[in-house]
Amino acid sequence: MSGPLCQISLIQQQEDTLTQNSTMLSKRSLLAALLSVAVGVYLLPSPIDPKPHVLKGPPPALEGPLAVNTLLQKGRRLFAGKLHGPESFTADEEGNVFTGTVDGKLWRIAPDDSLTLLTHMGQDLPECGSSTDYEPVCGRPHGVRLDRHGQLIVADSYLGLHSVDPKTGEKTLLLANSEGAAGVPFAFLNGLEISFQTGIIYFTDSSSRWGRRHVTLEVIELNSLGRLLSFDPQTGSVTVLLGDLYMPNGIALSPDEHFLLLAETSIGRILRFWLKGPKAGTKEVVMDNMIGYPDNIRRSDHGTFLVGITTPRFRKITPPFLDMIAPYPAVKRFLAKVIPLSWYRVLLPRYALVLELGSDGRLVGSLQDPEARLTWAISDVFQHRGRTYLGSTDLPFLPVLEGGTADDGPWQET
């Protein structure tokens, strides 16, 4: 072949060669860019410092006391759009119920279900409740209880222990987070319980590192930086009862006040801490490898303990997400660097679950809403005057069940 045809062929070959070279250069550039990004992410410091942890086994099956039911569907929602994250409850002898919300507000619910703003735990800003970034200045009330003198005791996650007049809303600071205990400031005040025999206030600091707005990092990191503490209002003294706890959360006194039950949320475990008797000052595991992550623990109106499960942990084809990543610190460090905290919510199943424990801590039953028709992510289960209040940390309504005894109402499947 010669002449014009030969020249055309040579030109075509040159163009093909240039195209191939350009494609190879583009691929190399892309590879170099990806490698640079990977190296950059690798070198970027992770906000968490996790340790390997292996849970005791796969989640328990939904059978026996955990058999699927719809007992939590028999209720209704109150104050939709008015109460955002009513997390914990207490009530006075007149039938008023008190709760706190994500915007730092403390509320009073009258027996006729009228709603009154009692006080702001922190500053009253328009931004309060719009983002967790404002919680340190707005406050976030968690545990709420009445003491022997009829005063509200509030554990605000950021602002410390307060006494609040339930009629006027006047606040008195009892113990600031900055004071802490044993030289360690509080970062995440959470659970609360009060002895009616001694007046001692028991409370938990879920972490000395992470505040409430970073609870996702706390759970992923799976550290043991939490403590169980007591505060004596008479002397102002604070005592560390237990340390090295995995996100200690809700606590509940036994009827005789011989022991406390305590939830370690991040590892799905419940402890018993003895306050009296030959075992005083010691702890023991009551429940481990639970079906979900426990939040608050409350005594029911018929002598049992009710545990709100904030996130279920179900058996599926693959293990639950937190189970899978728990043994691998490198994976957790990487995820904490690249995934926004708000994205983890898509991994959480919408399934409402409450566990009922006997006085010995043994599981005796459960209440469930598999379709989340009424609620999900339950933080607290509070019974008062025939009604059961179901708390949450973030949902914009208050679910209630009418009835609530062992023999009738929503506690029986129909």
Side-chain angles (χ1 to χ4, degrees), residues 395-413:
L395 300 181
F397 50 82
L398 172 57
V400 297
L401 307 177
E402 302 296 344
T405 67
D407 302 316
D408 57 55
W411 301 95
Q412 293 294 317
E413 188 75 85

Side-chain angles (χ1 to χ4, degrees), residues 94-154:
E94 299 173 2
N96 297 299
V97 174
F98 302 88
T99 190
T101 45
V102 298
D103 47 12
K105 296 176 181 177
L106 199 63
W107 301 87
R108 180 175 59 235
I109 304 170
D112 63 357
D113 283 341
S114 59
L115 186 64
T116 302
L117 173 62
L118 189 59
T119 191
H120 298 263
M121 295 307 299
Q123 297 182 35
D124 179 14
L125 302 176
E127 295 84 0
C128 289
S130 64
S131 168
T132 56
D133 292 337
Y134 292 98
E135 287 186 354
V137 293
C138 300
R140 196 347 174 171
H142 271 254
V144 180
R145 298 290 188 275
L146 278 168
D147 67 12
R148 297 185 297 178
H149 308 293
Q151 295 296 293
L152 285 169
I153 304 300
V154 181

Side-chain angles (χ1 to χ4, degrees), residues 62-118:
L62 291 174
E63 58 188 24
L66 292 175
V68 175
N69 61 68
T70 58
L71 294 174
L72 289 181
Q73 292 182 357
K74 303 175 183 180
R76 58 195 178 103
R77 296 176 179 179
L78 301 179
F79 312 117
K82 297 179 180 180
L83 291 184
H84 190 174
E87 208 265 351
S88 179
F89 308 93
T90 193
D92 62 19
E93 294 181 352
E94 299 173 2
N96 297 299
V97 174
F98 302 88
T99 190
T101 45
V102 298
D103 47 12
K105 296 176 181 177
L106 199 63
W107 301 87
R108 180 175 59 235
I109 304 170
D112 63 357
D113 283 341
S114 59
L115 186 64
T116 302
L117 173 62
L118 189 59

Side-chain angles (χ1 to χ4, degrees), residues 267-300:
I267 59 172
R269 185 166 72 179
I270 293 178
L271 302 178
R272 176 173 18 229
F273 178 72
W274 290 96
L275 298 168
K276 300 177 182 179
K279 296 182 180 180
T282 65
K283 66 178 181 180
E284 58 192 25
V285 177
V286 171
M287 292 190 71
D288 205 350
N289 192 41
M290 295 175 64
I291 188 65
Y293 300 94
D295 200 316
N296 282 300
I297 307 175
R298 302 299 294 266
R299 290 209 306 267
S300 74

Side-chain angles (χ1 to χ4, degrees), residues 176-196:
N177 274 23
S178 58
E179 295 180 60
V184 180
F186 305 134
F188 188 174
L189 292 195
N190 202 334
L192 184 69
E193 183 72 295
I194 302 175
S195 168
F196 269 76

